[in-house]
């Protein structure tokens, strides 16, 4: 009976070593594919916003910090940084500068 127990233990150890080998092989393939993806992203980068559109946003931010920026219809004072950026981008779109379309419209 002692020999049967010994054979079972050795049989249980063999598959665990095979699993470790396959995991390390899988990690190596993942590293190769990620290296390829990053190289292709660098070559296809383009500007989404024109530099002049950035200047519009900069001036609107400056006005907001000075407390002179007001919203459209109501004429209330703008205190939100996000709202000031939105106003600057809106003015850049109206002027025909290179800016992505508004996602809300």
């Amino acid at each position: 009976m002692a020999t049967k127990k010994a054979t079972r233990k050795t049989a249980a150890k063999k598959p665990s070593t095979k699993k470790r080998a396959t995991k390390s092989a899988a990690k190596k393939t993942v590293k190769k594919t990620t290296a390829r993806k990053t190289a292709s992203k660098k070559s296809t980068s383009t500007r989404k916003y024109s530099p002049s559109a950035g200047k519009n946003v900069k001036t609107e931010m400056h006005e907001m910090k000075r407390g002179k920026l007001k919203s459209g219809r109501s004429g209330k004072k703008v205190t939100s940084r996000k709202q000031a950026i939105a106003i600057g981008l809106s003015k850049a779109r109206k002027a025909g500068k290179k800016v992505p379309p508004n996602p809300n419209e």
Side-chain angles (χ1 to χ4, degrees):
M1 283 191 152
T3 57
K4 288 182 181 178
K5 289 181 182 177
T7 56
R8 288 182 184 169
K9 286 182 181 177
T10 56
K13 290 181 181 177
K14 287 181 182 177
S16 63
T17 56
K18 289 181 182 176
K19 288 180 182 177
R20 289 180 189 160
T22 56
K23 286 182 182 177
S24 63
K27 288 180 183 177
K28 289 179 183 176
T29 57
V30 171
K31 289 180 182 177
K32 289 179 183 176
T33 56
T34 55
R36 289 181 199 152
K37 288 180 182 177
T38 55
S40 64
K41 285 183 181 179
K42 289 180 182 177
S43 62
T44 60
S45 64
T46 58
R47 291 186 82 107
K48 288 187 179 182
Y49 297 89
S50 66
S52 57
K55 288 178 186 176
N56 276 13
V57 174
K58 186 178 179 180
T59 56
E60 298 302 319
M61 289 290 288
H62 187 68
E63 283 187 26
M64 183 209 52
K65 288 178 182 179
R66 287 173 43 197
K68 294 188 176 182
L69 182 63
K70 295 186 178 182
S71 65
R73 288 185 183 179
S74 63
K76 291 183 179 179
K77 203 180 289 186
V78 173
T79 57
S80 170
R81 178 183 59 86
K82 288 183 179 181
Q83 191 175 1
I85 293 169
I87 292 169
L89 290 176
S90 177
K91 288 184 179 181
R93 283 188 190 99
K94 288 177 184 175
K97 297 176 182 172
K98 184 180 177 186
V99 181
N102 190 353
N104 297 328
E105 290 180 358

